[in-house]
Amino acid sequence: MVRRFDPIVLWQIVVGLLLLAAWEAIGDISGGMWTSRPTLIAVKLAGWLQGSLYPHLATTLTEVVVGVAFGVSLGALAGLVLGRSPIAAGILRPIVVAFYSVPLVALAPLFIMFFGLDMLPKIVLVGTVVFFLLFFNTFAGATSVDQELVAQIDLMGSNRRERFQKVVAPACSPWIIGGIKTAMPYALVAATTGEMLAARRGLGFLLSDAASQFDMTSLYAVLFILMLLGLAISEVTAWAERHLLRWRHAQG
Amino acid sequence: MPKGDMAGDMAGDMAGDMGGDLAPKIDLQGVGKRFVTREREVEALQPIDLAIQDHEFVALVGPSGCGKSTILNMIAGLLPPSAGVVSYDGAAIGGLNRAVGYMTQKDTLLPWRTAADNVRIALELKCRAMPWDEANERVAQMLTLVGLTGFEKHYPAELSGGMRKRVALARTLIYEPETLLMDEPFGALDAQLKLLMLDQLQDLTRQRRMTVVFVTHDLGEAITLADRVVVFSARPGRIRAIRPVALPRPRDVFRIRFTEDFAHLHESLWDELKDEVTRGTEV
Ligand SMILES: Nc1ncnc2c1ncn2[C@@H]1O[C@H](COP(=O)(O)OP(=O)(O)OP(=O)(O)O)[C@@H](O)[C@H]1O
Ligand SMILES: [Mg+2]
């Protein structure tokens, strides 16, 4: 596919610039006490990019990545196992649902008390949030695997492992990937929330630190970074989805 | 014993009891099936007796909903009969019957595998020791046989209904099961392609001396291929007639339709079937 320049993009840029100009003007008129100003924020960001931002960014990213890795693998595994064994599902699923009824960020103080001030409690929080989303999605997928496909493969002589590997797991892959797509924004929320409560590093820490000092410029700068991070994460997952599930929307 | 002779012998003895020395490959004795759903009970198949010999090619025809697919499902062991016994090689079937290759009415291709990989899965599961290169070669041969060269890398979503059927056919044939169950395998194909496929199927099943149970709506297809044609009544299914096809083998699938014997048989089968088809739509 050849990318052609789209005039819409031009208008998007124009509108964006106008909004920034309006913000700058308001900041200029009001003194910028609450609104700060885009130019100040840009200068702040440029300063941070010289070096002081990276430890915070790395901390948040590590928490997200490690938490997601644990949450996805455990959640998908639990969903697959319970989805394929009605007895285990009958016993355990109500328990999982009960735990899920607790607003998960409310667990943050608990994890901080258990695991201290560093990355560990945030990783656990991210992992927990991701685990539940992945569990429910994968469970739905595993219970809806086409039984005719399973029967066909069984008839050809598959054993349990092959049935799982060649039918159940691939049939659930759209559900797992869908789960990851929904979970990623929540993972970022969980990591920053944890950092805002108690941390020495991370974007959430930067945010609450700036707020406590009424440093609006820094606050907006952090929000801007979080926005970029969120966009990047959703772009990457959308790309991965397209790539991994080519067979689904394969139409040319 | 050559196949034509065998079909001839059976012509004299249609009562269902084949005598002592010919133990049937597949034997349905008093086999009936009723489905119980939430609100009501459907009698799909009234108790029937049918014995299918080793290396025999039997076609089942009958109006829609008369229980043809249900019979294949029971022979494959996917469905237990609600009355009677289905035996295979003299033993009652309990659980999956892995001696059969089953090409179902709905194509059950794996949507995440390309055409070639869908065919290969049969080898992965049945011929585990086969080296990768040899498997690739057999898959390519098989896809050529069903006329799908050039579509190896296409996913099922990118293939037409008839192409998907042919991938399923290739997958069923590649591991050469001793018994083939086929449920309207060529329904979605155009007339010319259908003849080509019938020709290939005849060659292959004769070479490998397979036992075949073949469900179709097309009487011509049934006569062209089968040693016996079984006509079913409208639901609930019963056997209305069994006709041996005494045409010599190998048959020229492209010309046999124009012979007199074929026309006679076609007419007599159509006489049996047409009442049932009209009855089936009235109910
Ligand atoms: N799983 C099921 N649950 C309930 N009823 C069923 C089920 N499968 C089949 N039936 C019923 O049993 C009858 C026979 O079905 P079957 O699929 O064997 O027909 P068929 O002869 O293969 O028809 P067709 O030629 O249209 O494929 C039908 O009336 C159908 O409604
Ligand atoms: Mg059917």
Side-chain angles (χ1 to χ4, degrees), chain B residues 78-93:
Chain B
L78 296 172
L79 206 63
S82 32
V85 183
V86 185
S87 355
Y88 188 88
D89 275 341
I93 296 171

Side-chain angles (χ1 to χ4, degrees), chain A residues 146 148-149 151-159 161-163 166-168 170-172 246-252, chain B residues 76 78 96-98 100 102-104 106-113 121-122 124-126 128 155 157-158 171 175:
Chain A
D146 185 347
E148 289 185 50
L149 287 190
Q152 184 76 55
I153 298 308
D154 278 356
L155 214 49
M156 289 185 209
S158 68
N159 55 34
R161 188 178 53 79
E162 284 164 331
R163 181 193 311 151
K166 295 181 197 280
V167 186
V168 176
C172 290
R246 236 169 344 131
W247 54 270
R248 282 191 104 200
H249 12 219
Q251 296 302 341
Chain B
L78 296 172
L96 291 181
N97 178 4
R98 287 183 162 171
V100 305
Y102 187 6
M103 182 175 165
T104 49
K106 194 186 120 197
D107 67 70
T108 49
L109 299 180
L110 303 174
W112 48 86
R113 282 181 173 236
I121 193 164
E124 289 170 20
L125 296 174
K126 278 283 176 183
R128 289 157 197 265
Y155 289 101
E158 300 169 313
R171 179 179 69 180
Y175 67 92

Side-chain angles (χ1 to χ4, degrees), chain B residues 63-70 72-73 102 104-106 183-184 215 217:
Chain B
S64 181
C66 73
K68 305 179 297 293
S69 302
T70 305
L72 295 193
N73 284 335
Y102 187 6
T104 49
Q105 191 165 13
K106 194 186 120 197
D183 201 341
E184 291 184 35
V215 169
H217 277 139

Side-chain angles (χ1 to χ4, degrees), chain B residues 216-250:
Chain B
T216 177
H217 277 139
D218 180 345
L219 282 180
E221 211 173 276
I223 300 169
T224 306
L225 290 176
D227 298 314
R228 279 193 295 161
V229 180
V230 184
V231 182
F232 283 84
S233 72
R235 198 186 70 216
R238 279 172 296 105
I239 294 180
R240 164 142 185 167
I242 301 183
R243 290 274 188 283
V245 181
L247 303 170
R249 291 206 188 257

Side-chain angles (χ1 to χ4, degrees), chain A residues 37-88:
Chain A
R37 280 153 49 176
T39 42
L40 291 178
I41 296 166
V43 171
K44 174 68 89 183
L45 280 173
W48 281 355
L49 284 177
Q50 298 302 311
S52 63
L53 176 68
Y54 299 118
H56 298 291
L57 192 61
T59 303
T60 306
L61 279 179
T62 310
E63 289 160 3
V64 168
V65 169
V66 178
V68 164
F70 277 108
V72 166
S73 29
L74 295 177
L77 187 70
L80 281 170
V81 170
L82 293 204
R84 298 306 295 172
S85 59
I87 298 174

Side-chain angles (χ1 to χ4, degrees), chain A residues 65-183:
Chain A
V65 169
V66 178
V68 164
F70 277 108
V72 166
S73 29
L74 295 177
L77 187 70
L80 281 170
V81 170
L82 293 204
R84 298 306 295 172
S85 59
I87 298 174
I91 300 168
L92 295 175
R93 196 168 182 277
I95 300 176
V96 179
V97 172
F99 270 106
Y100 187 60
S101 315
V102 179
L104 293 179
V105 276
L107 294 176
L110 194 69
F111 290 155
I112 289 167
M113 279 155 63
F114 283 169
F115 304 116
L117 293 177
D118 285 330
M119 288 201 275
L120 190 57
K122 289 85 172 182
I123 290 172
V124 175
L125 187 66
V126 171
T128 312
V129 170
V130 174
F131 171 88
F132 282 106
L133 290 171
L134 259 290
F135 171 79
F136 287 113
N137 245 37
T138 313
F139 184 85
T143 47
S144 65
V145 176
D146 185 347
Q147 279 313 113
E148 289 185 50
L149 287 190
V150 177
Q152 184 76 55
I153 298 308
D154 278 356
L155 214 49
M156 289 185 209
S158 68
N159 55 34
R160 281 175 68 95
R161 188 178 53 79
E162 284 164 331
R163 181 193 311 151
F164 189 82
Q165 240 176 37
K166 295 181 197 280
V167 186
V168 176
C172 290
S173 62
W175 299 80
I176 295 173
I177 289 166
I180 295 174
K181 225 174 123 182
T182 1

